Amino acid sequence: MMAAINSSGRRFQLAGGSLSTLPFSRRMQSAQRRLRLLAGLVLLAFVAMHLVNAALGLVSIQAMEQARPLLQLPWRTMPGLVLLSAAALVHGVLGLLAIARRRSLALSRTDWLQIVLGLVTTPLLIDHILFTQVFSLVDAEFKPDFGLLLAAYWHYVPANALLQVLAVVAVWVHGVVGLYTWLVLKPAWRRLGLVLTPLFFILPVTALLGFVQGGKDAMARLAAEPDWQAAIAASMARFAAAKAQMDALRSLALSVYGGLVLVAFGVLLSRVLRNRQRKVDVRYDGGLHGQGRPGLSLLEISLASGVPHAHVCGGRGRCGTCVVAVDAGAANLSPIGSDEQATLARIHAGEGQRLACQARLLGDTVCVTCLRPAYVDVTAARDPVGWTAASTASVPSQATP
Ligand code: HEM
Ligand code: FES
């Protein structure tokens, strides 16, 4: 049993066992979430360094090239390449697993945005990866520096310049939403946010402006320097000569990826359709009633039934704002997992309290009291005890949905 401290400062035991006695699958899920986050952060660091490099296009193509050894070449060393490839593989696979594991399509808009932008990243980036990474492995003479890249995008295949812009927007928004939803719950965000929030906007905007200015410079150089134009044309011809192989690689990669995405959504859909005849009930304080399929979390049932229910972290088990007191039917809920235990301890949850986003209703019915009003924001998540004391003193009647 895991010890925690409730709001009156008394130590108590959380039901569900210690971390080591939790079922293996639960511990795995928790480890996978952390690994997905870590891999996402590695990818985001790579993308951020890439964008800084692109932003230098506002100075000159030469400045972009001069900064490249510092900003990009570390990722092309063997350890850098292994780290980046492993992060991409691990994050992509765990991202698809997270989709397959969902049991309901009742997602917040942020979650939909996060999933859709994550999924479109691969098709949007595939041509860029083939051009800048894969072909130079096949042809050692091919040097995809910024001059070649900008000339290729703005002169030879302008449609890919548009794809590139879309890719930057999709990858950046996806990564930054992930980073923000994780960091915003931490007390350190109050200070960290002052630095990071402007960067979230400045970095992609300057990178896109650098990409446009660099493109203009490359076009001017193509017109003014016949030797450079001939060298670029020769490189493009080498790439064009390998078009059949590159097309085959692209088709293979996209088919495998598309297949995995279909499997993930197939599993999700089969979960949604399974058991849809059988209904389970949640009775809330204040007379509200929610209904759903067995296996859905209490939060999923609330959202699907239109019952207002706080869920600041979007159901990731991090914020604690969805906490409920289970008044009856606790045995009908799934056991507590390690993430839930940790968050319950952090918010000083009392005995018999559960996170609605983690507790799944397996039996017929459960009666709960929502302990946070539906309107809570990150303030309640960062300082659960202080916030609860302040809010119950000022608006006691709104503490239920
Ligand atoms: C360079 C590309 C990418 C970057 C920088 C990136 C970054 C991130 C970050 C920082 C997070 C938050 C981590 C977390 O909360 O666990 C995240 C979450 C996620 N990513 Fe990515 N990601 C990228 C590509 C992808 C791709 C290709 C996929 C799809 C296969 C994907 C699917 C997901 C999913 C499903 C989530 C979690 C959403 C949820 O919590 O339900 N990501 N990503
Ligand atoms: S919604 Fe954040 S912990 Fe449940």
Side-chain angles (χ1 to χ4, degrees):
M1 300 283 266
M2 186 180 177
I5 301 169
N6 69 13
S7 46
S8 58
R10 191 163 51 86
R11 284 180 78 77
F12 68 95
Q13 304 294 322
L14 285 172
S18 70
L19 297 193
S20 57
T21 59
L22 284 172
F24 179 69
S25 61
R26 287 234 151 203
R27 275 183 281 145
M28 276 298 284
Q29 271 185 35
S30 163
Q32 283 174 11
R33 258 187 231 176
R34 270 173 218 137
L35 199 60
R36 189 182 71 206
L37 175 63
L38 198 69
L41 294 179
V42 170
L43 294 177
L44 197 56
F46 167 74
V47 174
M49 286 166 81
H50 226 68
L51 295 190
V52 172
N53 211 163
L56 287 170
L58 283 171
V59 181
S60 66
I61 297 179
Q62 205 192 356
M64 290 169 114
E65 272 309 311
Q66 279 169 351
R68 201 156 70 99
L70 188 71
L71 294 170
Q72 289 195 28
L73 295 190
W75 297 100
R76 301 194 82 154
T77 59
M78 193 40 82
L81 209 58
V82 169
L83 179 68
L84 188 61
S85 315
L89 190 70
V90 165
H91 186 81
V93 168
L94 293 183
L96 290 176
L97 257 180
I99 293 172
R101 274 221 191 89
R102 286 186 178 271
R103 294 166 302 266
S104 159
L105 293 171
L107 303 178
S108 68
R109 260 174 271 157
T110 315
D111 282 345
W112 275 118
L113 182 80
Q114 181 79 334
I115 287 175
V116 170
L117 292 182
L119 290 175
V120 298
T121 300
T122 305
L124 284 177
L125 283 179
I126 186 87
D127 279 330
H128 184 69
I129 295 170
L130 286 176
F131 192 74
T132 58
Q133 310 287 324
V134 179
F135 187 59
S136 52
L137 296 178
V138 181
D139 179 346
E141 304 275 294
F142 186 76
K143 299 272 180 264
D145 57 17
F146 272 106
L148 173 61
L149 212 68
L150 289 165
Y153 281 143
W154 291 101
H155 182 69
Y156 290 91
V157 268
N160 280 13
L162 181 66
L163 273 188
Q164 201 52 31
V165 171
L166 291 178
V168 167
V169 174
V171 168
W172 189 249
V173 173
H174 171 83
V176 157
V177 167
L179 181 68
Y180 173 81
T181 47
W182 171 57
L183 279 182
V184 75
L185 301 173
K186 307 207 174 286
W189 176 255
R190 285 198 192 93
R191 256 175 276 154
L192 216 55
L194 296 177
V195 181
L196 287 183
T197 310
L199 279 183
F200 288 166
F201 296 94
I202 291 170
L203 204 51
V205 171
T206 47
L208 290 174
L209 290 175
F211 182 54
V212 173
Q213 183 58 47
K216 277 187 181 172
D217 292 350
M219 297 286 272
R221 200 171 163 199
L222 280 177
E225 295 179 31
D227 287 353
W228 194 67
Q229 199 270 341
I232 297 288
S235 291
M236 292 307 292
R238 297 177 91 93
F239 188 72
K243 187 175 180 312
Q245 290 103 304
M246 291 298 121
D247 284 353
L249 263 180
R250 184 194 301 104
S251 303
L252 180 68
L254 289 182
S255 308
V256 171
Y257 178 70
L260 291 174
V261 172
L262 280 182
V263 170
F265 276 95
V267 174
L268 167 61
L269 214 62
S270 77
R271 279 167 188 267
V272 170
L273 296 178
R274 201 184 311 150
N275 283 332
R276 71 183 190 287
Q277 306 300 349
R278 207 184 129 205
K279 295 288 177 212
V280 290
D281 293 287
V282 183
R283 306 263 162 204
Y284 302 84
D285 56 307
L288 289 173
H289 173 224
Q291 206 170 47
R293 286 172 287 113
L296 289 187
S297 72
L298 298 179
L299 180 67
E300 284 165 339
I301 295 177
S302 301
L303 298 182
S305 310
V307 173
H309 201 143
H311 58 291
V312 166
C313 73
R316 289 173 180 79
R318 290 177 185 154
C319 67
T321 56
C322 63
V323 64
V324 293
V326 181
D327 304 319
N332 289 336
L333 296 174
S334 58
I336 298 182
S338 57
D339 287 342
E340 184 178 357
Q341 267 180 341
T343 303
L344 285 172
R346 188 180 64 77
I347 65 170
H348 296 192
E351 227 159 327
Q353 295 182 7
R354 296 290 307 264
L355 295 183
C357 66
Q358 304 299 308
R360 290 187 288 125
L361 184 49
L362 306 174
D364 287 335
T365 185
V366 68
C367 299
V368 298
T369 300
C370 291
L371 297 173
R372 304 281 185 270
Y375 62 73
V376 291
D377 60 11
V378 288
T379 325
R382 280 196 213 118
D383 179 17
V385 179
W387 185 88
T388 309
S391 67
T392 45
S394 57
V395 280
S397 61
Q398 296 195 46
T400 56

Coordinates of all heavy atoms in Angstrom, one line a residue, residues 7-54:
S7 N -5.9 16.1 2.9 CA -5.9 17.6 3.1 C -5.8 18.0 4.5 O -5.4 19.1 4.8 CB -7.2 18.1 2.4 OG -8.3 17.3 2.8
S8 N -6.1 17.1 5.5 CA -6.0 17.6 6.9 C -4.6 17.2 7.4 O -4.3 17.4 8.6 CB -7.1 16.9 7.7 OG -6.9 15.5 7.6
G9 N -3.7 16.7 6.5 CA -2.3 16.5 7.0 C -2.2 15.1 7.5 O -1.1 14.7 7.9
R10 N -3.2 14.3 7.6 CA -3.1 12.9 8.1 C -2.6 12.0 7.1 O -3.0 12.0 5.9 CB -4.6 12.5 8.6 CG -4.6 11.2 9.4 CD -6.0 11.1 10.1 NE -7.1 11.3 9.2 CZ -7.6 10.3 8.5 NH1 -7.1 9.1 8.6 NH2 -8.6 10.5 7.7
R11 N -1.7 11.1 7.5 CA -1.2 10.1 6.5 C -2.2 9.0 6.3 O -3.0 8.6 7.3 CB 0.1 9.4 7.1 CG 1.3 10.3 7.0 CD 2.5 9.5 7.6 NE 3.0 8.5 6.6 CZ 3.8 8.8 5.6 NH1 4.1 10.1 5.3 NH2 4.2 7.9 4.8
F12 N -2.4 8.5 5.1 CA -3.3 7.4 4.9 C -2.7 6.5 3.8 O -1.8 6.8 3.1 CB -4.7 7.9 4.5 CG -4.7 8.6 3.2 CD1 -5.1 7.9 2.0 CD2 -4.3 9.9 3.0 CE1 -5.1 8.5 0.8 CE2 -4.3 10.5 1.8 CZ -4.7 9.8 0.7
Q13 N -3.3 5.3 3.6 CA -2.9 4.4 2.6 C -3.8 4.5 1.4 O -5.0 4.5 1.5 CB -3.0 3.0 3.2 CG -2.2 2.7 4.4 CD -0.7 2.9 4.3 OE1 -0.2 2.4 3.2 NE2 -0.1 3.5 5.2
L14 N -3.1 4.6 0.2 CA -3.9 4.6 -1.0 C -4.2 3.1 -1.4 O -3.3 2.3 -1.3 CB -3.2 5.2 -2.1 CG -3.1 6.8 -2.1 CD1 -2.1 7.2 -3.2 CD2 -4.4 7.4 -2.3
A15 N -5.4 2.8 -1.8 CA -5.7 1.5 -2.2 C -5.0 1.2 -3.5 O -4.6 2.1 -4.3 CB -7.2 1.3 -2.4
G16 N -4.7 -0.1 -3.9 CA -4.2 -0.4 -5.2 C -2.8 -0.9 -5.1 O -2.2 -1.3 -6.1
G17 N -2.1 -0.9 -3.9 CA -0.8 -1.6 -3.8 C 0.3 -0.6 -4.1 O 0.2 0.5 -4.6
S18 N 1.6 -1.1 -3.8 CA 2.8 -0.3 -4.1 C 3.1 -0.4 -5.5 O 2.5 -1.3 -6.2 CB 3.9 -0.8 -3.2 OG 4.3 -2.0 -3.7
L19 N 4.0 0.4 -6.0 CA 4.4 0.4 -7.4 C 4.8 -1.0 -7.9 O 4.4 -1.4 -8.9 CB 5.5 1.4 -7.7 CG 5.2 2.9 -7.4 CD1 6.3 3.7 -8.0 CD2 3.9 3.3 -8.0
S20 N 5.6 -1.7 -7.0 CA 6.1 -3.0 -7.4 C 5.0 -4.0 -7.5 O 5.2 -5.1 -8.1 CB 7.2 -3.4 -6.5 OG 6.7 -3.4 -5.2
T21 N 3.9 -3.8 -6.8 CA 2.8 -4.9 -6.8 C 1.8 -4.6 -7.9 O 0.8 -5.3 -8.0 CB 2.1 -5.0 -5.5 OG1 1.5 -3.8 -5.2 CG2 3.1 -5.4 -4.4
L22 N 2.0 -3.5 -8.6 CA 1.0 -3.2 -9.7 C 1.2 -4.2 -10.8 O 2.2 -4.7 -11.1 CB 1.3 -1.8 -10.2 CG 0.9 -0.6 -9.4 CD1 1.4 0.7 -10.0 CD2 -0.7 -0.6 -9.3
P23 N 0.0 -4.4 -11.6 CA 0.2 -5.3 -12.7 C 1.2 -4.8 -13.7 O 1.4 -3.6 -13.8 CB -1.2 -5.3 -13.3 CG -2.1 -4.7 -12.4 CD -1.3 -3.9 -11.4
F24 N 1.9 -5.8 -14.3 CA 3.0 -5.4 -15.2 C 2.5 -4.5 -16.3 O 3.2 -3.5 -16.7 CB 3.5 -6.7 -15.8 CG 4.7 -6.5 -16.8 CD1 5.9 -6.0 -16.4 CD2 4.5 -6.7 -18.2 CE1 6.9 -5.8 -17.3 CE2 5.5 -6.5 -19.1 CZ 6.7 -6.1 -18.6
S25 N 1.3 -4.7 -16.9 CA 0.8 -3.9 -18.0 C 0.7 -2.5 -17.6 O 0.9 -1.6 -18.3 CB -0.5 -4.5 -18.5 OG -1.4 -4.4 -17.5
R26 N 0.2 -2.2 -16.3 CA 0.1 -0.9 -15.8 C 1.4 -0.2 -15.7 O 1.5 1.0 -16.0 CB -0.6 -0.9 -14.5 CG -2.1 -1.3 -14.6 CD -2.9 -0.2 -13.9 NE -4.2 -0.2 -14.5 CZ -5.0 0.9 -14.5 NH1 -4.6 2.0 -13.9 NH2 -6.1 0.9 -15.0
R27 N 2.4 -0.9 -15.2 CA 3.7 -0.3 -15.0 C 4.3 0.0 -16.4 O 4.9 1.0 -16.6 CB 4.6 -1.2 -14.2 CG 4.4 -1.0 -12.7 CD 5.4 -1.8 -11.9 NE 4.9 -3.2 -11.8 CZ 5.7 -4.2 -11.8 NH1 7.0 -4.1 -11.9 NH2 5.2 -5.4 -11.7
M28 N 4.0 -0.9 -17.3 CA 4.5 -0.7 -18.7 C 3.9 0.6 -19.3 O 4.6 1.4 -20.0 CB 4.2 -1.9 -19.6 CG 5.1 -3.0 -19.5 SD 6.7 -2.6 -20.1 CE 6.5 -2.6 -21.8
Q29 N 2.6 0.8 -19.1 CA 1.9 1.9 -19.7 C 2.5 3.2 -19.2 O 2.7 4.2 -19.9 CB 0.5 1.9 -19.4 CG -0.3 1.1 -20.4 CD -1.8 1.2 -20.2 OE1 -2.3 2.2 -19.7 NE2 -2.5 0.1 -20.4
S30 N 2.8 3.2 -17.9 CA 3.4 4.4 -17.2 C 4.8 4.7 -17.8 O 5.1 5.8 -18.1 CB 3.4 4.2 -15.7 OG 4.2 5.1 -15.1
A31 N 5.6 3.6 -17.9 CA 6.9 3.8 -18.5 C 6.9 4.2 -19.9 O 7.6 5.1 -20.3 CB 7.7 2.4 -18.4
Q32 N 5.9 3.7 -20.7 CA 5.8 4.1 -22.1 C 5.4 5.6 -22.2 O 5.9 6.3 -23.1 CB 4.7 3.3 -22.7 CG 5.1 1.9 -23.1 CD 4.0 1.0 -23.6 OE1 2.9 1.5 -23.9 NE2 4.3 -0.3 -23.7
R33 N 4.6 6.1 -21.3 CA 4.2 7.5 -21.4 C 5.4 8.4 -21.2 O 5.7 9.4 -21.9 CB 3.2 7.8 -20.3 CG 1.8 7.9 -20.8 CD 0.9 8.4 -19.8 NE -0.3 7.5 -19.7 CZ -1.3 7.6 -18.9 NH1 -1.2 8.5 -18.0 NH2 -2.2 6.8 -18.9
R34 N 6.3 7.9 -20.2 CA 7.5 8.7 -19.9 C 8.4 8.7 -21.1 O 9.0 9.7 -21.5 CB 8.2 8.2 -18.6 CG 7.6 8.9 -17.5 CD 8.1 8.4 -16.1 NE 6.9 8.5 -15.3 CZ 6.5 7.6 -14.4 NH1 7.2 6.5 -14.3 NH2 5.5 7.8 -13.7
L35 N 8.6 7.5 -21.6 CA 9.5 7.3 -22.8 C 9.0 8.1 -24.0 O 9.8 8.7 -24.7 CB 9.5 5.8 -23.1 CG 10.7 5.3 -23.9 CD1 12.0 5.6 -23.2 CD2 10.6 3.8 -24.2
R36 N 7.7 8.1 -24.2 CA 7.1 8.9 -25.3 C 7.4 10.4 -25.2 O 7.8 11.0 -26.1 CB 5.6 8.6 -25.4 CG 5.0 9.2 -26.7 CD 3.5 9.0 -26.7 NE 2.8 9.8 -25.7 CZ 1.7 9.5 -25.2 NH1 1.1 8.4 -25.5 NH2 1.1 10.4 -24.3
L37 N 7.3 10.8 -23.9 CA 7.6 12.2 -23.6 C 9.1 12.5 -23.9 O 9.4 13.5 -24.5 CB 7.2 12.5 -22.2 CG 7.5 13.9 -21.7 CD1 6.8 15.0 -22.5 CD2 7.1 14.1 -20.2
L38 N 9.9 11.7 -23.4 CA 11.4 11.9 -23.5 C 11.7 11.9 -25.0 O 12.5 12.8 -25.4 CB 12.1 10.7 -22.8 CG 13.5 10.9 -22.5 CD1 13.7 12.0 -21.4 CD2 14.2 9.6 -22.0
A39 N 11.2 10.9 -25.7 CA 11.5 10.8 -27.2 C 11.0 12.1 -27.9 O 11.7 12.6 -28.7 CB 11.0 9.6 -27.8
G40 N 9.8 12.5 -27.5 CA 9.2 13.7 -28.1 C 10.1 14.9 -27.8 O 10.3 15.8 -28.7
L41 N 10.7 15.0 -26.6 CA 11.5 16.1 -26.2 C 12.8 16.1 -27.1 O 13.3 17.2 -27.5 CB 11.9 16.1 -24.7 CG 10.6 16.4 -23.8 CD1 11.1 16.3 -22.4 CD2 9.9 17.7 -24.1
V42 N 13.4 14.9 -27.3 CA 14.6 14.8 -28.2 C 14.2 15.3 -29.6 O 15.0 16.1 -30.1 CB 15.1 13.3 -28.2 CG1 16.2 13.2 -29.3 CG2 15.6 12.9 -26.9
L43 N 13.1 14.9 -30.1 CA 12.7 15.3 -31.4 C 12.5 16.8 -31.5 O 12.9 17.5 -32.4 CB 11.4 14.6 -31.9 CG 11.5 13.1 -32.1 CD1 10.1 12.6 -32.4 CD2 12.5 12.8 -33.2
L44 N 11.9 17.4 -30.4 CA 11.6 18.8 -30.3 C 12.9 19.6 -30.3 O 13.1 20.6 -30.9 CB 10.7 19.1 -29.1 CG 10.0 20.5 -29.1 CD1 9.2 20.6 -30.4 CD2 9.2 20.6 -27.9
A45 N 13.9 19.1 -29.6 CA 15.2 19.7 -29.5 C 15.8 19.8 -30.9 O 16.4 20.8 -31.3 CB 16.1 19.0 -28.5
F46 N 15.7 18.7 -31.6 CA 16.3 18.6 -33.0 C 15.6 19.6 -33.9 O 16.2 20.4 -34.6 CB 16.1 17.2 -33.5 CG 16.3 17.1 -35.0 CD1 17.6 17.1 -35.5 CD2 15.3 17.0 -35.9 CE1 17.8 17.0 -36.9 CE2 15.5 16.9 -37.2 CZ 16.8 16.9 -37.7
V47 N 14.2 19.7 -33.8 CA 13.5 20.6 -34.6 C 13.8 22.0 -34.3 O 14.0 22.9 -35.1 CB 11.9 20.3 -34.5 CG1 11.1 21.4 -35.2 CG2 11.6 18.9 -35.0
A48 N 13.9 22.3 -33.0 CA 14.2 23.7 -32.5 C 15.6 24.2 -33.1 O 15.7 25.3 -33.6 CB 14.2 23.8 -31.0
M49 N 16.6 23.3 -33.0 CA 17.9 23.6 -33.5 C 17.8 23.9 -35.1 O 18.5 24.8 -35.6 CB 18.9 22.6 -33.2 CG 19.3 22.6 -31.7 SD 20.2 21.2 -31.1 CE 21.8 21.5 -31.6
H50 N 17.0 23.0 -35.7 CA 16.8 23.2 -37.2 C 16.2 24.5 -37.5 O 16.6 25.2 -38.4 CB 15.8 22.1 -37.5 CG 16.2 21.3 -38.8 ND1 17.3 20.5 -38.8 CD2 15.6 21.3 -40.0 CE1 17.3 19.9 -40.0 NE2 16.3 20.4 -40.7
L51 N 15.2 24.9 -36.7 CA 14.5 26.2 -36.9 C 15.4 27.4 -36.7 O 15.4 28.4 -37.4 CB 13.3 26.3 -36.1 CG 12.2 25.3 -36.3 CD1 10.9 25.7 -35.6 CD2 11.9 25.2 -37.8
V52 N 16.3 27.3 -35.7 CA 17.2 28.4 -35.4 C 18.1 28.5 -36.6 O 18.4 29.6 -37.1 CB 18.1 28.1 -34.2 CG1 19.2 29.1 -34.0 CG2 17.2 28.1 -32.9
N53 N 18.6 27.4 -37.2 CA 19.4 27.4 -38.3 C 18.7 28.0 -39.5 O 19.3 28.9 -40.3 CB 19.9 26.0 -38.7 CG 21.3 25.9 -39.3 OD1 21.9 24.9 -39.4 ND2 21.7 27.0 -39.8
A54 N 17.4 27.7 -39.7 CA 16.7 28.2 -40.8 C 16.5 29.7 -40.7 O 16.5 30.5 -41.6 CB 15.3 27.5 -41.0

